[in-house]
Amino acid sequence: MKYFIANWKANKNFDEAKQWVNQFLKIYRPKTERTVIICPPFPFIPLLHQAVNHLKNIKIGSQDLSAFESGTYTGEVTAKTLKGLVDYVIIGHSERRKNFHESQDLIGQKISLAKKYQIEPIVCFQDVTDRLPNNIKFIAYEPPWAISKGYEDSMKTVIEETPETVIKVKKKLKIQSDKCFIYGGSVNSNNISQYLKYKEIDGYLVGGASLNPATFYEIVSQV
Ligand code: PGA
């Protein structure tokens, strides 16, 4: 199984989200060999949920969740709120660690709450020195220097990461083969075929190249 995770980040308004869904559903064909996970901003989750819930091999994820379970935490979106709307959640993305000062402890709390509410955490790490929790299935290697390097050019935009170096990181961290090892960092429709040659990488977190439904499907449909 290969996983293709669309991380829209803080992009799109409601009309743009609807357009994306309409266009994607026109071209999307399910395949048993791959799972597509779409992670939109929180307000668009119900829209996506309604549109794709009945389709095979396509799931919804959130880009984060609260480290609190419920209560007097104005503005927080909790695992309890998200239960039933999403199947996955991205936790510990480098942009959250950097811009919102997320600590390892906070990330641990988020992982526990996700699990408590049956939401599968996709936990991001940035380099070999990061501490990896051992009770998670999805581990995403996303070196910050390789993120958002432009999507037009091919491998040369991915500054220092190549499929070979990504696999070296997996080996160095002794990530077992029963885990789903995900890579993210300027994956696009030009370079995906290079990565897909390697069975060691189980899936891809795609940011910028997921914002256009046709480009994202070009990536997905190579499996
Ligand atoms: P990118 O983002 O594909 O735009 O580099 C990936 C990510 O940060 O999840």
Side-chain angles (χ1 to χ4, degrees), residues 146-184:
I147 293 177
S148 302
K149 291 289 181 252
Y151 324 106
E152 304 81 24
D153 299 339
S154 60
M155 292 302 283
K156 69 178 187 301
T157 60
V158 183
I159 309 261
E160 284 167 29
E161 293 308 303
T162 61
E164 292 79 9
T165 55
V166 171
I167 290 163
K168 264 193 203 148
V169 168
K170 180 178 180 180
K171 285 202 180 122
K172 193 157 191 178
L173 290 172
K174 298 192 173 63
I175 294 173
Q176 309 289 320
S177 57
D178 61 336
K179 307 271 184 198
C180 287
F181 181 66
I182 308 290
Y183 174 67

Side-chain angles (χ1 to χ4, degrees), residues 115-130:
K115 285 173 157 256
K116 179 168 178 187
Y117 288 92
Q118 290 87 47
I119 301 171
E120 186 74 56
I122 301 166
V123 181
C124 302
F125 73 99
Q126 340 188 1
D127 62 53
V128 286
T129 62
D130 275 344

Side-chain angles (χ1 to χ4, degrees), residues 32-153:
T32 46
E33 297 90 341
R34 64 183 187 218
T35 296
V36 173
I37 303 168
I38 306 165
C39 304
F42 287 127
F44 309 146
I45 287 175
L47 165 82
L48 268 293
H49 177 76
Q50 227 176 0
V52 311
N53 204 28
H54 59 289
L55 297 174
K56 284 206 178 90
N57 294 80
I58 177 162
K59 302 283 181 196
I60 307 301
S62 65
Q63 298 173 18
D64 185 32
L65 49 67
S66 177
F68 298 104
E69 188 161 3
S70 66
T72 51
Y73 302 103
T74 304
E76 286 294 87
V77 180
T78 66
K80 194 174 172 186
T81 302
L82 289 163
K83 184 179 159 69
L85 285 169
V86 301
D87 290 298
Y88 295 87
V89 56
I90 300 170
I91 294 180
H93 192 285
S94 61
E95 287 155 11
R96 293 212 60 85
R97 293 179 193 240
K98 178 169 163 248
N99 299 319
F100 303 97
H101 315 292
E102 292 202 355
S103 66
Q104 206 59 45
D105 285 349
L106 186 103
I107 289 167
Q109 284 162 26
K110 291 184 175 190
I111 294 170
S112 305
L113 284 168
K115 285 173 157 256
K116 179 168 178 187
Y117 288 92
Q118 290 87 47
I119 301 171
E120 186 74 56
I122 301 166
V123 181
C124 302
F125 73 99
Q126 340 188 1
D127 62 53
V128 286
T129 62
D130 275 344
R131 220 176 352 117
L132 285 180
N134 52 17
N135 56 346
I136 45 165
K137 181 168 177 214
F138 287 82
I139 300 172
Y141 172 49
E142 290 215 310
W145 58 87
I147 293 177
S148 302
K149 291 289 181 252
Y151 324 106
E152 304 81 24
D153 299 339

